Amino acid sequence: MAATRNNSSNPARIPALGFRALALVFLSMALMFLDHRDQHLGAVRDTVGAALYPLRLVVDAPARLWDWSSERLRSRTDLQQEVEQLRREQLVIRARLLATNSLQAENARLREMLDAREKVEDRVRVAEIMAVDANPFRHSLIIDVGIGDGVYEGQAIVDQVGVIGQVIEPGLLTSEALLISDPGHALPVEVNRNGLRTIAYGTGEFNRLDLPGLANNADIREGDLLVTSGLGGAFPSGYPVAVITQVTRMPQQAFADVSAEPVAALNQVREIMLVWSTPPVDSDSSDDEATDDESDDDE
Amino acid sequence: MSRDRASRHLPIIVTIIVALLLTMMPLPRSVDAFRPDWLALIMIFWAFSLPRSYGVGIAWIAGIVLDVAQGALLGQHALALCLIVYLTVKFHLLMRVFPLIQLTATVFALLALYQFLLFWINGVANVTAPPATYWGPVVSGTLLWPLLFSFLNGIRYRVQSRG
């Protein structure tokens, strides 16, 4: 056997094993310390990440092939139906857009009258989620755009119905994003109905967010829509996040037990949109921002 | 041992790449919790069967690659892999005389230690995950070990007898 041949030629000891292991343990500790404190190791991550890109492509290939072939092999009637449906949807959306245009103009006029800064529209770009599993301890995903496309850390990611998450690790060719359902994620939101501000925390479940900071007498009910408040700087304001599903008020406790369900299907989307948001909001809300920043994002 | 370096190192490089692919492969959520620690299993095997060629160094490098692949704290998996490979190399003579059942039990202990180290570092770095996520890979990895062991042994003998 190879094993016995190995051992008969040398003594059983392997030279400098303990020393090497100890050195590497200290090296990893130093790396972790540096990585956790601040991002000095971006270059290492980028290099290794670029080397991993072919592997990610290989892993992603079956899903891509499946998409491609199911696209090719669809029947004519199916396609016709889809075209029909899209046409109808487009009509509806056009009609709505007409109203929106006039509303926008009106809004701009009103803002001018109030002497407030005009709200610039956000720039949006479509990206695709790669079918690659990232960290099992976090709700994260890999998207197929990188620094070259202008992606930056903390960038908001939405789909057609609501907020999904944010970029936490922009790489050269692919980037890693954190979902709003990750237990380490916190998102400044406001209730669309009355502007009540709070923070939505991820729970580790795809269909539930927690809102622990609401007092018992807060004006919030089931069915309320939460939208991003834009405080904290990372997310542009006004994007839908979640709908309140449950409000439990217990008289003996100071805070109500409120949970919400994200409007975006966090574990089903494939195509997402990256939002380049405009710089932070007006100066009169800067004190709120300061307090929200601490509890905002985990990174 | 007069074979050329490339063919000698090929099996381990290929198995590491396959392990990385299996780690990144998307799985349904229900199965995902029981995805084995492929890289840890592979590294334990090579450290156990060829302790002189493959030791803590290659485990550390593979760990760094895994850290980047998973977006984990840089050095987290490197540290955990390095330690379990150190233990495997240290006690490889003892483990050689174990029957397969006892060897599997040892692998269980090593995998548990690996997950505990990850859990511990996650705790220090404030990454919260439900404790149950740490147990699935240990159980599935242990159950898989006898199969993987005989499979990789086959590969190893084929490569060695060819040279």
Side-chain angles (χ1 to χ4, degrees):
Chain A
M1 266 174 61
T4 49
R5 198 174 57 208
N6 272 351
N7 295 327
S8 56
S9 56
N10 304 60
R13 270 182 61 80
I14 289 171
L17 173 69
F19 172 74
R20 252 189 269 169
L22 201 64
L24 287 174
V25 164
F26 277 120
L27 187 57
S28 345
M29 282 180 175
L31 275 181
M32 284 191 282
F33 183 72
L34 281 179
D35 198 28
H36 191 56
R37 288 304 291 265
D38 28 30
Q39 310 278 326
H40 286 316
L41 300 166
V44 181
R45 255 180 215 281
D46 288 351
T47 323
V48 182
L52 275 170
Y53 184 61
L55 292 191
R56 284 186 172 154
L57 280 188
V58 170
V59 171
D60 188 38
R64 217 160 263 261
L65 190 70
W66 175 252
D67 279 0
W68 181 83
S69 55
S70 55
E71 192 77 9
R72 289 297 135 116
L73 299 176
R74 262 195 305 172
S75 72
R76 201 184 140 79
T77 46
D78 272 1
L79 285 174
Q80 271 171 342
Q81 262 173 15
E82 197 181 327
V83 167
E84 196 53 42
Q85 197 198 336
L86 287 174
R87 198 171 284 158
R88 244 178 285 142
E89 257 171 43
Q90 203 207 3
L91 273 180
V92 175
I93 289 171
R94 267 233 187 115
R96 249 186 237 158
L97 197 62
L98 283 178
T100 317
N101 279 342
S102 65
L103 280 178
Q104 242 170 13
E106 185 183 336
N107 198 358
R109 262 203 319 278
L110 289 173
R111 270 175 183 272
E112 219 168 284
M113 277 201 271
L114 288 169
D115 211 18
R117 208 190 53 162
E118 197 171 334
K119 206 177 154 216
V120 188
E121 262 187 55
D122 304 318
R123 196 156 68 84
V124 169
R125 189 212 142 126
V126 176
E128 205 161 297
I129 296 172
M130 295 182 87
V132 173
D133 253 27
N135 201 323
F137 306 120
R138 315 185 83 170
H139 281 193
S140 57
L141 38 86
I142 310 280
I143 53 176
D144 67 344
V145 287
I147 296 168
D149 305 281
V151 176
Y152 57 90
E153 190 181 331
Q155 185 168 25
I157 295 175
V158 301
D159 74 352
Q160 62 268 41
V161 281
V163 173
I164 292 180
Q166 62 174 309
V167 177
I168 52 169
E169 196 70 60
L172 283 181
L173 299 159
T174 55
S175 306
E176 194 184 344
L178 193 69
L179 295 174
I180 55 172
S181 58
D182 185 273
H185 194 275
L187 179 64
V189 294
E190 63 184 30
V191 178
N192 201 27
R193 184 167 51 85
N194 53 13
L196 177 71
R197 269 181 290 115
T198 181
I199 294 172
Y201 291 88
T203 58
E205 292 166 46
F206 283 114
N207 54 4
R208 196 164 66 86
L209 299 179
D210 262 351
L211 289 85
L214 286 168
N216 252 342
N217 57 357
D219 178 17
I220 192 158
R221 18 182 145 106
E222 283 163 31
D224 275 349
L225 179 69
L226 298 173
V227 299
T228 50
S229 63
L231 303 176
F235 281 87
S237 59
Y239 283 88
V241 178
V243 174
I244 302 286
T245 49
Q246 199 193 2
V247 182
T248 316
R249 293 188 168 91
M250 275 180 284
Q252 69 270 31
Q253 277 171 4
F255 292 100
D257 193 4
V258 183
S259 49
E261 185 178 357
V263 288
L266 295 180
N267 52 348
Q268 284 163 20
V269 286
R270 177 107 168 119
E271 261 159 8
I272 50 145
M273 281 173 280
L274 291 162
V275 183
W276 277 265
S277 60
T278 46
V281 284
D282 311 328
S283 54
D284 57 333
S285 59
S286 59
D287 46 344
D288 292 329
E289 248 178 283
T291 49
D292 274 350
D293 260 343
E294 296 167 359
S295 46
D296 181 14
D297 313 314
D298 60 324
E299 287 299 319
Chain B
M1 293 252 162
S2 58
R3 270 163 271 113
D4 54 316
R5 285 172 61 87
S7 77
R8 202 153 58 91
H9 289 303
L10 193 64
I12 182 161
I13 292 171
V14 170
T15 47
I16 286 179
I17 288 177
V18 171
L20 281 172
L21 288 178
L22 286 171
T23 310
M24 293 195 290
M25 193 175 69
L27 287 178
R29 200 127 281 272
S30 49
V31 194
D32 194 31
F34 287 94
R35 183 203 299 267
D37 298 307
W38 292 105
L39 203 58
L41 288 169
I42 297 281
M43 292 318 302
I44 291 174
F45 174 82
W46 290 114
F48 166 78
S49 42
L50 300 170
R52 243 153 257 280
S53 318
Y54 307 114
V56 287
I58 194 147
W60 191 79
I61 293 170
I64 289 287
V65 175
L66 187 60
D67 284 327
V68 175
Q70 302 207 328
L73 202 58
L74 210 60
Q76 181 178 20
H77 290 92
L79 175 80
L81 273 179
C82 195
L83 274 177
I84 59 165
V85 164
Y86 168 72
L87 290 176
T88 315
V89 173
K90 184 93 182 158
F91 297 110
H92 74 279
L93 285 182
L94 187 63
M95 283 160 71
R96 288 239 168 104
V97 296
F98 285 173
L100 188 57
I101 291 193
Q102 210 173 341
L103 185 61
T104 311
T106 315
V107 169
F108 173 79
L110 286 171
L111 288 177
L113 174 68
Y114 176 76
Q115 287 289 337
F116 174 73
L117 287 168
L118 294 184
F119 169 70
W120 195 40
I121 297 168
N122 273 347
V124 173
N126 265 332
V127 176
T128 43
T133 36
Y134 295 96
W135 279 105
V138 178
V139 174
S140 61
T142 309
L143 292 177
L144 206 72
W145 172 257
L147 272 175
L148 193 75
F149 182 68
S150 50
F151 174 69
L152 287 175
N153 248 343
I155 293 183
R156 184 162 73 92
Y157 284 126
R158 194 155 303 170
V159 170
Q160 283 190 335
S161 60
R162 206 177 53 198

